[in-house]
Amino acid sequence: MNISTTAHAADTAADTAAVAAVLDRLTAAWNAGDGVAYGAEFTDDATYITYVGTLYVGGTEIGSAHQALFDSFLKGTRLAGEIVGIRFTGPDTALVVTRGDVHKGKPGKLHKIQTYTLVRQANGEWKVAAFQNTKHKALMEAISFKAQPATRPAVA
């Protein structure tokens, strides 16, 4: 995990653990098929962009949309993921990059990359204010890198 901070180095370990706990609760809610618990981890005005480009706004809408998915297309699925990095851009803001995917049965390769923006609330709790999910298209990426090697990022 890559962790850097520009604010309050003494609080970094506690804040890192608190931010990671939000992602753990999101995973637990997904795995339980609990849209209310899933939506509760987002701010009232959060933005949530799915890998197909759907935009949901607010924890309530995010939760109810996910409940509909948990009751149909995503019934019985589990969320798999790993944190790539957590970066604090201030004392009350964290950017988190993860790799993840949804599965039934045994988890496979993590085909999606996500960005979370978390903010500390007035009560000290961390919540997700923005989420972006992108499906990794390895073939298209490889073609791009071959055609223009200068586009290859330093960190893969």
Side-chain angles (χ1 to χ4, degrees), residues 7 9 19 23 28 44 54 59 68 90 104 106 126 130 132-133 139 141 155:
V19 165
L23 274 63
D44 290 341
T54 304
K104 283 189 177 184
K106 185 178 176 184
W126 288 89
Q132 166 73 48
N133 190 15
L139 178 60
E141 183 180 61
V155 178

Side-chain angles (χ1 to χ4, degrees), residues 25-113:
R25 288 191 301 273
L26 283 169
T27 299
W30 185 293
N31 293 347
D34 187 343
V36 172
Y38 192 81
E41 297 301 324
F42 293 86
T43 63
D44 290 341
D45 61 351
T47 56
Y48 189 106
I49 302 170
T50 70
Y51 83 92
V52 297
T54 304
L55 171 63
Y56 297 109
V57 178
T60 301
E61 183 174 75
I62 293 164
S64 57
H66 277 80
Q67 190 61 61
L69 292 168
F70 296 150
D71 291 342
S72 58
F73 304 118
L74 297 177
K75 188 173 189 135
T77 62
R78 300 191 56 82
L79 197 58
E82 65 184 21
I83 295 174
V84 174
I86 298 175
R87 181 167 48 104
F88 294 94
T89 58
D92 299 320
T93 308
L95 300 176
V96 182
V97 175
T98 65
R99 291 190 191 283
D101 217 327
V102 174
H103 65 91
K104 283 189 177 184
K106 185 178 176 184
K109 186 173 179 180
L110 304 176
H111 293 289
K112 298 174 189 160
I113 190 159

Side-chain angles (χ1 to χ4, degrees), residues 104-126:
K104 283 189 177 184
K106 185 178 176 184
K109 186 173 179 180
L110 304 176
H111 293 289
K112 298 174 189 160
I113 190 159
Q114 299 91 13
T115 304
Y116 295 83
T117 302
L118 284 86
V119 294
R120 188 190 324 260
Q121 303 298 286
N123 65 4
E125 292 181 356
W126 288 89

